[in-house]
């Protein structure tokens, strides 16, 4: 579920970043205004990077839930692997 929400957030940021990047490329390559083009390109890249790295207060509950789910999942997987290995070892040793 979080993957879909992250994709929607990225699409929202790209709606703002892509026009800035295209305008920056036009200023840089077509019009020859290097300063304006560079600033717009840096702004577009910064928007995407900040969106990916920045943690807002509304993201905290989701991050906490993800960490808890990872801990529970890793504990459950480790426990089931140990149980199956122990049972297999017992059978090899001749124990029921």
């Amino acid at each position: 579920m979080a993957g879909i929400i992250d994709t929607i957030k990225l699409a929202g940021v790209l709606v703002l970043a892509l026009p800035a990047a295209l305008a920056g490329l036009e200023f840089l390559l077509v019009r020859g205004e290097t300063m304006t083009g560079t600033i717009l390109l840096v702004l577009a890249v910064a928007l995407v990077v900040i969106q990916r790295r920045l943690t807002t207060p509304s993201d905290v509950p989701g991050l906490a839930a993800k960490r808890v789910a990872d801990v529970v999942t890793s504990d459950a997987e480790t426990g089931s692997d140990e149980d199956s290995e122990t049972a297999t070892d017992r059978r090899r040793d001749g124990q029921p």
Side-chain angles (χ1 to χ4, degrees):
M1 186 67 150
I4 294 171
I5 294 172
D6 289 339
T7 303
I8 292 170
K9 286 180 183 179
L10 179 61
V13 169
L14 288 176
V15 165
L16 299 173
L18 286 176
L22 291 174
L25 286 174
E26 181 184 348
F27 276 108
L28 191 64
L29 301 175
V30 177
R31 297 184 185 181
E33 297 181 24
T34 56
M35 183 63 117
T36 305
T38 304
I39 289 172
L40 286 172
L41 286 173
V42 168
L43 175 68
V45 170
L47 281 171
V48 175
V49 169
I50 288 172
Q51 188 271 335
R52 300 297 291 167
R53 296 283 183 193
L54 184 66
T55 302
T56 60
S58 63
D59 295 337
V60 173
L63 292 173
K66 184 177 180 180
R67 286 185 183 174
V68 169
D70 289 343
V71 168
V72 169
T73 304
S74 66
D75 288 346
E77 290 175 356
T78 305
S80 64
D81 290 343
E82 290 174 358
D83 292 341
S84 63
E85 290 175 7
T86 306
T88 305
D89 292 340
R90 286 185 198 150
R91 288 186 200 125
R92 286 184 197 155
D93 296 337
Q95 298 176 357

